[in-house]
Amino acid sequence: MATTSKSKTELLKIASEGSLRSNKLSFEIGDTVDVRTLILEGDKERTQLFSGVVISMRGSGMCESFTVRRIVAGEGVERTFPVNSPKVADVVVKRSSKVRRAKLFYLRDRVGKATRLTERRVNKKEEAAAQDSE
Amino acid sequence: MPVGLLGKKVGMTQVYNEAGEIVPVTVIQAGPCPVLTVRTKDRDGYEAVQIGFGDKPRRLATKADRGQVADIESKRKKRLEQGGRTLDAKAGVEPQYFIREFRTEGEEHGLTVGQKLDVNHFAEVKAVDVIGTSKGRGYTGVMKRHNFSGLGAAHGTKKVHRSGGSTGQRSDPSKVFKGTKMSGQYGNTRTTIRNLKVVKVDLENNLLLVKGSIPGPAGQYIVIRHTNKFD
């Protein structure tokens, strides 16, 4: 049988292909982002904004997700979004930061000024290179 | 019962439905399944359709395997022909790994030997039953097998922390009732999961996606039939 030549991983990939995001989200750990999610209100759809710092990205393929942390009324709030969810409409990067960790969980133990991250300015050369590679 | 399909469990993943919700799915490689034999009341005493799944390499197949699916020279065939009888038509396919019959008592199925059933068979179907063999766990204690609580971890309990406790009481009834839950072989039994919703049918890759889990490890052969449970 011809179909048995495909491995388990390949077949699983094919199965979830239709559910993967077609427009890739581009952001990095430490970025301050605006996540726009679609929510259904009655029978009308509207977008909701959640802005904060990306402190974690995990998983791959269908299970990929990222966590955004922000401070609301002095209380830390974290929200985890599945990358491939059709309800995550868009992610806009507002600011990038210089970080030395893949997970910024240490921000949970900090309050006030200590939570600030050093801004990483993307210079024109890098930007051009990034556009070329795309 | 309508004829179902045979297949192989590929594994589990997730997909999004139209509402944008995550659905956990099991991916099944279903078909193509050639019809090997059609059993009839006159000849076999019952009505059924025999289908196969998965081509077996010639080096692994016995001559009996090949004779079941294709017309090959044999002494029996020669003898029958001399007697003026001919063997029934064969499917003319490669030997099959997994062969099962579906009973079709008094039913018009319209299937002929050699015809191939593909996953499109379930395109209009909302739910299916999946029959497989559950993962074997070997000889297991009562805590794992029957979700017993076990005995105390402390307070003088010695060497019997995972025991099931008493089974036959004392003078009354002074016997162990039949069917009492005890330790023993767990798993590796024929298991049916009923009413699994069909999420997607991929004809190109012969894939069937059903919501939820099915018994057994990935790579296991399974039987998929139209569900007999309706809610």
Side-chain angles (χ1 to χ4, degrees), chain B residues 98-230:
Chain B
F98 190 55
I99 296 166
R100 287 291 180 274
E101 280 183 10
F102 288 87
R103 289 282 187 129
T104 54
E105 237 44 78
E107 221 181 278
E108 281 292 321
H109 51 74
L111 296 173
T112 50
V113 172
Q115 193 179 341
K116 277 196 178 160
L117 297 174
D118 55 36
V119 74
N120 237 7
H121 198 62
F122 288 126
E124 306 293 317
V125 174
K126 283 214 172 71
V128 291
D129 292 349
V130 171
I131 304 164
T133 308
S134 60
K135 278 185 185 173
R137 291 159 178 87
Y139 190 99
T140 354
V142 285
M143 287 180 73
K144 194 184 179 82
R145 192 171 183 231
H146 298 298
N147 295 327
F148 279 21
S149 308
L151 303 186
H155 302 299
T157 308
K158 245 179 191 175
K159 298 180 180 174
V160 287
H161 307 286
R162 294 180 64 86
S163 158
S166 164
T167 53
Q169 292 81 40
R170 209 172 167 192
S171 59
D172 180 36
S174 95
K175 66 169 182 177
V176 179
F177 287 113
K178 279 189 177 170
T180 300
K181 289 174 179 172
M182 292 193 216
S183 55
Q185 163 70 30
Y186 177 34
N188 194 20
T189 53
R190 178 188 153 109
T191 308
T192 310
I193 306 285
R194 293 167 74 198
N195 210 10
L196 290 162
K197 302 277 175 295
V198 174
V199 176
K200 200 179 148 194
V201 169
D202 183 351
L203 183 62
E204 195 186 329
N205 299 296
N206 293 310
L207 296 182
L208 178 71
L209 270 62
V210 296
K211 185 181 174 183
S213 57
I214 66 172
Q220 186 196 218
Y221 291 113
I222 49 165
V223 177
I224 314 149
R225 69 173 189 213
H226 297 72
T227 190
N228 54 13
K229 182 177 180 173
F230 298 101

Side-chain angles (χ1 to χ4, degrees), chain A residues 2-18:
Chain A
T3 40
T4 41
S5 59
K6 276 184 184 134
S7 73
K8 179 192 159 181
T9 339
E10 282 169 334
L11 287 171
L12 284 179
K13 220 174 187 177
I14 289 166
S16 58
E17 228 163 39

Side-chain angles (χ1 to χ4, degrees), chain A residues 1-9 11-12 14-20 62-64 82-87, chain B residues 8 10-16 19-22 27 29 31-32 53-55 200 202 204-207 209 218:
Chain A
M1 199 166 64
T3 40
T4 41
S5 59
K6 276 184 184 134
S7 73
K8 179 192 159 181
T9 339
L11 287 171
L12 284 179
I14 289 166
S16 58
E17 228 163 39
S19 295
L20 291 175
M62 269 306 292
C63 321
E64 202 174 348
V83 167
N84 294 299
S85 171
K87 293 198 172 172
Chain B
K8 202 176 190 180
V10 176
M12 289 194 74
T13 182
Q14 312 171 327
V15 292
Y16 286 98
E21 293 157 345
I22 283 182
V27 182
Q29 193 173 30
F53 173 75
D55 287 355
K200 200 179 148 194
D202 183 351
E204 195 186 329
N205 299 296
N206 293 310
L207 296 182
L209 270 62

Side-chain angles (χ1 to χ4, degrees), chain A residues 25-37 48-58 64-72 75-83 88 90-95 102-105 107-108 117:
Chain A
L25 301 174
S26 64
F27 57 89
E28 279 167 48
I29 289 285
D31 287 2
T32 304
V33 293
D34 283 355
V35 184
R36 275 208 288 274
T37 51
Q48 196 183 45
L49 199 72
F50 189 89
S51 46
V53 182
V54 179
I55 61 162
S56 157
M57 286 157 82
R58 64 178 293 276
E64 202 174 348
S65 67
F66 62 97
T67 305
V68 178
R69 180 183 170 86
R70 67 174 295 185
I71 308 291
V72 180
E75 195 65 43
V77 175
E78 283 176 18
R79 208 173 147 187
T80 305
F81 301 93
V83 167
V88 175
D90 198 11
V91 175
V92 183
V93 178
K94 292 283 171 193
R95 182 176 180 271
K103 302 276 188 285
L104 305 184
F105 296 148
L107 290 179
R108 291 172 179 168
L117 298 165

